[in-house]
Amino acid sequence: MLNLVRDRWLPARRADGSIETIAPWEITDRLDDDPIVGFAWPRADFDGATHEFLIGLLATAAAPNDDEEWLGWWEAPPGPDLLRDRFAEFTDAFFLDGDSPRFMQDTDPLDSAVEVEVGGLLIDAPGENTLRKNADLFVKRGGVSVLCRA
């Protein structure tokens, strides 16, 4: 089962230009010789969402204890081993599959839900009114029909 905290699923670009798939706790790996300099999703909104995800994860699981520790981490960020240990406490909440509600899953009943294509979840998808009026001149429907688990 894919775990969003433990497993490698984030496409990351290193300073040398290479791209590899990392786990969230590996964000500070190889800071001295070839650090992660950005994410390598095919869409800028996915890069932004990944930044937000990691900020929230770090703020929740690895917040410094005080200003002094924060300043120390600013100058020398915590290594992957420490981040993995801090994130481990939250691993169970970040399994993508399972019998109980999952991370960020809306548990409201789906009785009145309208089924939409997966592309409708993306920021640049035309809205319901645009689709109903067939007015998607600049923002086209059908751009994304599937997404992988990662």
Side-chain angles (χ1 to χ4, degrees):
M1 287 193 292
L2 178 63
N3 186 282
L4 299 176
V5 170
R6 181 194 64 206
D7 298 333
R8 291 181 171 100
W9 62 277
L10 297 169
R13 181 174 288 105
R14 292 203 173 268
D16 70 1
S18 64
I19 296 173
E20 63 184 73
T21 303
I22 66 166
W25 53 269
E26 293 176 302
I27 194 68
T28 58
D29 182 47
R30 298 177 53 202
L31 280 179
D32 294 332
D33 65 327
D34 194 16
I36 301 293
V37 295
F39 297 107
W41 292 107
R43 298 174 50 102
D45 54 334
F46 288 8
D47 284 349
T50 301
H51 281 97
E52 289 182 23
F53 172 74
L54 287 179
I55 289 168
L57 181 60
L58 286 164
T60 301
N65 293 315
D66 53 36
D67 290 346
E68 187 175 317
E69 187 177 30
W70 184 93
L71 185 57
W73 282 5
W74 176 260
E75 294 171 359
D81 291 338
L82 177 61
L83 292 178
R84 183 179 50 227
D85 291 347
R86 293 279 184 102
F87 294 171
E89 181 181 346
F90 300 91
T91 301
D92 288 347
F94 288 91
F95 281 105
L96 201 57
D97 294 315
D99 296 330
S100 61
R102 302 290 89 195
F103 168 71
M104 295 196 62
Q105 181 178 347
D106 186 349
T107 57
D108 289 344
L110 298 176
D111 301 338
S112 62
V114 177
E115 189 172 319
V116 297
E117 294 180 12
V118 69
L121 298 171
L122 304 176
I123 195 167
D124 58 351
E128 183 181 334
N129 192 44
T130 301
L131 293 173
R132 186 174 51 254
K133 292 181 177 181
N134 198 28
D136 48 339
L137 181 61
F138 295 107
V139 179
K140 300 292 183 189
R141 70 182 83 197
V144 175
S145 59
V146 297
L147 293 173
C148 72
R149 297 179 61 70

